[in-house]
Amino acid sequence: MNQHIIDDENHHNDPRVACTRRNGLDVDTKRMIAVITVEDDEGDEHDVEVPIKFEVCGVCDGKGTHVNPSIDSGGLTREDFAEDPDFAESYFSGAYDMQCECCHGNNVMPVLVEDDARLSQKQKDAIQYQYDMDQHEADHEAECAAERRMGC
């Protein structure tokens, strides 16, 4: 595999890049709910409100910023810094940092509450539907990655 393909895969799979491709939830933070649009067996769509909670963003570890993945998603070595001390200084001082594209600088991410005994069966089904859609998207991304590796 040539280095260009490896670099592209590293960038594409970097969590800082991958989070921008995730299915976004329609979230109302004032009411602490997400709206999941589910499709029934007849193909009709229905909105279901489910509770959310906030968790610390796993991409930026709650800092709200991270290094631009275009700078280091392919990995950096000690030699990269030794060859260019100005780059090293800029890198470690935060000059290449950007707002987290996953939490948008909010430090936290809304997540579905799935362990609440008060959830109705309709809400539980909607959460499962959302997880199934997320898995479908992840499977599609994996297939696309395999195609890219084959040069398609």
Side-chain angles (χ1 to χ4, degrees):
M1 195 181 302
N2 77 34
Q3 189 60 42
H4 178 69
I5 293 172
I6 293 170
D7 289 344
D8 283 349
E9 282 300 302
N10 286 341
H11 181 77
H12 193 75
N13 291 323
D14 188 297
R16 298 167 294 180
V17 174
C19 80
T20 62
R21 296 188 306 270
R22 292 190 188 131
N23 289 334
L25 292 172
D26 183 10
V27 174
D28 181 342
T29 57
K30 288 184 171 113
R31 295 179 51 216
M32 291 300 287
I33 58 120
V35 177
I36 299 174
T37 303
V38 297
E39 187 175 318
D40 64 22
D41 294 336
E42 288 81 40
D44 296 326
E45 292 184 342
H46 305 279
D47 289 341
V48 180
E49 293 182 352
V50 296
I52 60 168
K53 62 183 177 181
F54 286 105
E55 290 183 355
V56 172
C57 178
V59 172
C60 68
D61 293 324
K63 295 178 194 128
T65 62
H66 55 66
V67 176
N68 185 327
S70 297
I71 301 297
D72 65 358
S73 66
L76 295 173
T77 64
R78 186 177 304 200
E79 289 80 25
D80 291 322
F81 296 121
E83 291 171 5
D84 189 348
D86 290 335
F87 169 70
E89 182 179 335
S90 295
Y91 182 85
F92 290 113
S93 74
Y96 299 106
D97 287 0
M98 60 183 281
Q99 180 179 327
C100 178
E101 292 189 344
C102 200
C103 71
H104 305 289
N106 294 319
N107 309 28
V108 292
M109 294 287 301
V111 296
L112 300 174
V113 174
E114 58 185 284
D115 56 357
D116 191 328
R118 296 173 291 173
L119 291 177
S120 69
Q121 189 58 48
K122 186 176 180 180
Q123 289 172 315
K124 291 176 185 176
D125 291 345
I127 290 170
Q128 185 58 53
Y129 181 86
Q130 181 66 43
Y131 288 153
D132 291 346
M133 292 296 99
D134 292 346
Q135 185 60 54
H136 177 74
E137 182 65 27
D139 292 346
H140 175 72
E141 283 296 324
E143 184 177 342
C144 289
E147 290 172 353
R148 284 191 303 274
R149 286 190 298 273
M150 294 185 65
C152 298

